[in-house]
Amino acid sequence: MAFNIASSPHAHSRRSTRDLMRTVILCCAFGVAAQWYFFGWGTLINILLASTVAVSAEAIILKLRQRPVLPYLRDNSALLTGVLIGISIPPLAPWWITVIGVVFAIVIAKHLYGGLGQNLFNPAMVAYVVLLISFPVQMTTWLPPQSLAAEPVSFIDSVLTIFTGFTQDGFSAHQLRASVDGVTMATPLDTLKTSLTTGLTTTETLAKPIFGTIAGIGWEWINLGFLIGGLVMLKMRVIQWHIPVGMLGALFVISSLGFLFNPDGTASPLIHLFSGATMLGAFFIATDPVSAATTPKGRLVFGALIGILVYLIRTWGGFPDGIAFSVLLANMCVPLIDYYTRPRTFGHK
């Protein structure tokens, strides 16, 4: 008898990798819908472009590696990578940003290590970090929410800006960042970080129009959407609770301590939890079954490490968010975490 050993992802269910990946993509819909509502059609265009490029790159590299194309494409792993990259990129980023990121994720971060189950790092986050370091201007050009935008962007304008750089009226993505009062806007986390470095207090910063009831206008609803999608995945047992609870719990605890001791110089726990890519990272990125820790205790440690790193980077680092960097740094620690959190052998005294 032959005993076949398959690479990760491994799941204690009767579902195939194809079904698991498809479910994750569908559960992204809650957060994607909120992102489309507040930031326009660019998000959906980026997702479509990134998904198309991801599947195409996967097919080409599989052909070059002389692997069967259709069976590997049907596992939906490349499609999920494209969706996550499309979500993470600013809505009106140039088309070539998306193409470069997706090709790097599929070819370098995934297939250079042997393909699905062999990659050490989350491919989508590797691509995001490469793009952020290489093209910081394009990767930080987020628009203000539609309700605050001086020039609302239509579907046609979104397509034109992504592929030509300008809307029908000649506005560039940088010009579209202006709010109704003419102020160029950034994301809530970036606004808070910049304001604190210029001497403003947290209370004074939160009075700016970009901030809503809980965190930032639009961003709090986007995070709530990804939270709902994550809870659906937990209910369906697509992912396990350890990593999201470890990450969100650690981020809440450490941000609460920081806010308790320095309320005028740090963000509140609610801002950390409902701004940026927190919920997307906790439920859809950190839980990657290939690059995350595998033992139950290890997953808790892995998630907690990401949460702590996110707080440190947001508070003292050079980047306003830090989800991608935190996930990649935690990926490096997975072998060590798994080694020291191995469960006791059954029957061992």
Side-chain angles (χ1 to χ4, degrees), residues 269-281:
L270 285 178
I271 291 178
H272 278 291
L273 291 176
F274 289 95
S275 285
T278 302
M279 296 299 172
L280 175 67

PDB file of all heavy atoms in Angstrom, residues 269-281:
ATOM      1  N   PRO A 269      -7.672  51.790  22.065  1.00  0.00           N
ATOM      2  CA  PRO A 269      -7.830  50.408  21.580  1.00  0.00           C
ATOM      3  C   PRO A 269      -8.831  50.292  20.439  1.00  0.00           C
ATOM      4  O   PRO A 269      -8.614  49.506  19.510  1.00  0.00           O
ATOM      5  CB  PRO A 269      -8.309  49.654  22.827  1.00  0.00           C
ATOM      6  CG  PRO A 269      -7.825  50.467  23.971  1.00  0.00           C
ATOM      7  CD  PRO A 269      -7.862  51.883  23.526  1.00  0.00           C
ATOM      8  N   LEU A 270      -9.925  51.061  20.481  1.00  0.00           N
ATOM      9  CA  LEU A 270     -10.926  50.972  19.418  1.00  0.00           C
ATOM     10  C   LEU A 270     -10.359  51.427  18.076  1.00  0.00           C
ATOM     11  O   LEU A 270     -10.682  50.860  17.024  1.00  0.00           O
ATOM     12  CB  LEU A 270     -12.156  51.804  19.783  1.00  0.00           C
ATOM     13  CG  LEU A 270     -13.079  51.210  20.855  1.00  0.00           C
ATOM     14  CD1 LEU A 270     -14.230  52.161  21.153  1.00  0.00           C
ATOM     15  CD2 LEU A 270     -13.609  49.847  20.418  1.00  0.00           C
ATOM     16  N   ILE A 271      -9.524  52.464  18.099  1.00  0.00           N
ATOM     17  CA  ILE A 271      -8.905  52.922  16.858  1.00  0.00           C
ATOM     18  C   ILE A 271      -7.991  51.841  16.296  1.00  0.00           C
ATOM     19  O   ILE A 271      -7.988  51.581  15.086  1.00  0.00           O
ATOM     20  CB  ILE A 271      -8.129  54.229  17.092  1.00  0.00           C
ATOM     21  CG1 ILE A 271      -9.106  55.369  17.387  1.00  0.00           C
ATOM     22  CG2 ILE A 271      -7.259  54.580  15.882  1.00  0.00           C
ATOM     23  CD1 ILE A 271      -8.447  56.701  17.690  1.00  0.00           C
ATOM     24  N   HIS A 272      -7.226  51.199  17.153  1.00  0.00           N
ATOM     25  CA  HIS A 272      -6.338  50.130  16.689  1.00  0.00           C
ATOM     26  C   HIS A 272      -7.126  48.952  16.125  1.00  0.00           C
ATOM     27  O   HIS A 272      -6.728  48.349  15.122  1.00  0.00           O
ATOM     28  CB  HIS A 272      -5.443  49.651  17.835  1.00  0.00           C
ATOM     29  CG  HIS A 272      -4.241  50.519  18.062  1.00  0.00           C
ATOM     30  ND1 HIS A 272      -3.199  50.598  17.175  1.00  0.00           N
ATOM     31  CD2 HIS A 272      -3.919  51.357  19.089  1.00  0.00           C
ATOM     32  CE1 HIS A 272      -2.278  51.431  17.632  1.00  0.00           C
ATOM     33  NE2 HIS A 272      -2.689  51.909  18.793  1.00  0.00           N
ATOM     34  N   LEU A 273      -8.240  48.618  16.748  1.00  0.00           N
ATOM     35  CA  LEU A 273      -9.002  47.448  16.323  1.00  0.00           C
ATOM     36  C   LEU A 273      -9.827  47.703  15.070  1.00  0.00           C
ATOM     37  O   LEU A 273     -10.059  46.784  14.277  1.00  0.00           O
ATOM     38  CB  LEU A 273      -9.924  46.979  17.454  1.00  0.00           C
ATOM     39  CG  LEU A 273      -9.241  46.378  18.678  1.00  0.00           C
ATOM     40  CD1 LEU A 273     -10.269  46.042  19.745  1.00  0.00           C
ATOM     41  CD2 LEU A 273      -8.446  45.130  18.306  1.00  0.00           C
ATOM     42  N   PHE A 274     -10.282  48.947  14.870  1.00  0.00           N
ATOM     43  CA  PHE A 274     -11.204  49.214  13.765  1.00  0.00           C
ATOM     44  C   PHE A 274     -10.656  50.201  12.746  1.00  0.00           C
ATOM     45  O   PHE A 274     -11.430  50.844  12.034  1.00  0.00           O
ATOM     46  CB  PHE A 274     -12.546  49.710  14.321  1.00  0.00           C
ATOM     47  CG  PHE A 274     -13.322  48.626  15.013  1.00  0.00           C
ATOM     48  CD1 PHE A 274     -13.226  48.456  16.392  1.00  0.00           C
ATOM     49  CD2 PHE A 274     -14.118  47.754  14.294  1.00  0.00           C
ATOM     50  CE1 PHE A 274     -13.923  47.445  17.041  1.00  0.00           C
ATOM     51  CE2 PHE A 274     -14.823  46.742  14.930  1.00  0.00           C
ATOM     52  CZ  PHE A 274     -14.737  46.586  16.300  1.00  0.00           C
ATOM     53  N   SER A 275      -9.346  50.324  12.654  1.00  0.00           N
ATOM     54  CA  SER A 275      -8.720  51.123  11.606  1.00  0.00           C
ATOM     55  C   SER A 275      -7.738  50.266  10.834  1.00  0.00           C
ATOM     56  O   SER A 275      -7.317  49.202  11.295  1.00  0.00           O
ATOM     57  CB  SER A 275      -7.986  52.335  12.198  1.00  0.00           C
ATOM     58  OG  SER A 275      -8.892  53.328  12.601  1.00  0.00           O
ATOM     59  N   GLY A 276      -7.370  50.741   9.656  1.00  0.00           N
ATOM     60  CA  GLY A 276      -6.400  50.017   8.858  1.00  0.00           C
ATOM     61  C   GLY A 276      -6.891  48.640   8.456  1.00  0.00           C
ATOM     62  O   GLY A 276      -8.076  48.432   8.197  1.00  0.00           O
ATOM     63  N   ALA A 277      -5.970  47.692   8.441  1.00  0.00           N
ATOM     64  CA  ALA A 277      -6.292  46.331   7.988  1.00  0.00           C
ATOM     65  C   ALA A 277      -6.357  45.356   9.152  1.00  0.00           C
ATOM     66  O   ALA A 277      -6.063  44.168   8.987  1.00  0.00           O
ATOM     67  CB  ALA A 277      -5.243  45.873   6.974  1.00  0.00           C
ATOM     68  N   THR A 278      -6.774  45.820  10.333  1.00  0.00           N
ATOM     69  CA  THR A 278      -6.727  44.967  11.523  1.00  0.00           C
ATOM     70  C   THR A 278      -7.561  43.703  11.362  1.00  0.00           C
ATOM     71  O   THR A 278      -7.059  42.584  11.543  1.00  0.00           O
ATOM     72  CB  THR A 278      -7.213  45.746  12.756  1.00  0.00           C
ATOM     73  OG1 THR A 278      -6.391  46.907  12.938  1.00  0.00           O
ATOM     74  CG2 THR A 278      -7.099  44.877  14.000  1.00  0.00           C
ATOM     75  N   MET A 279      -8.838  43.844  11.055  1.00  0.00           N
ATOM     76  CA  MET A 279      -9.709  42.670  10.963  1.00  0.00           C
ATOM     77  C   MET A 279      -9.395  41.821   9.735  1.00  0.00           C
ATOM     78  O   MET A 279      -9.465  40.586   9.789  1.00  0.00           O
ATOM     79  CB  MET A 279     -11.181  43.102  10.949  1.00  0.00           C
ATOM     80  CG  MET A 279     -11.629  43.784  12.228  1.00  0.00           C
ATOM     81  SD  MET A 279     -11.464  42.687  13.671  1.00  0.00           S
ATOM     82  CE  MET A 279     -11.823  43.849  15.001  1.00  0.00           C
ATOM     83  N   LEU A 280      -9.024  42.463   8.636  1.00  0.00           N
ATOM     84  CA  LEU A 280      -8.580  41.711   7.464  1.00  0.00           C
ATOM     85  C   LEU A 280      -7.363  40.872   7.813  1.00  0.00           C
ATOM     86  O   LEU A 280      -7.270  39.690   7.454  1.00  0.00           O
ATOM     87  CB  LEU A 280      -8.255  42.670   6.316  1.00  0.00           C
ATOM     88  CG  LEU A 280      -7.661  42.054   5.046  1.00  0.00           C
ATOM     89  CD1 LEU A 280      -8.665  41.157   4.351  1.00  0.00           C
ATOM     90  CD2 LEU A 280      -7.177  43.148   4.089  1.00  0.00           C
ATOM     91  N   GLY A 281      -6.431  41.470   8.544  1.00  0.00           N
ATOM     92  CA  GLY A 281      -5.231  40.748   8.930  1.00  0.00           C
ATOM     93  C   GLY A 281      -5.507  39.623   9.904  1.00  0.00           C
ATOM     94  O   GLY A 281      -4.944  38.530   9.783  1.00  0.00           O
TER      95      GLY A 281
END
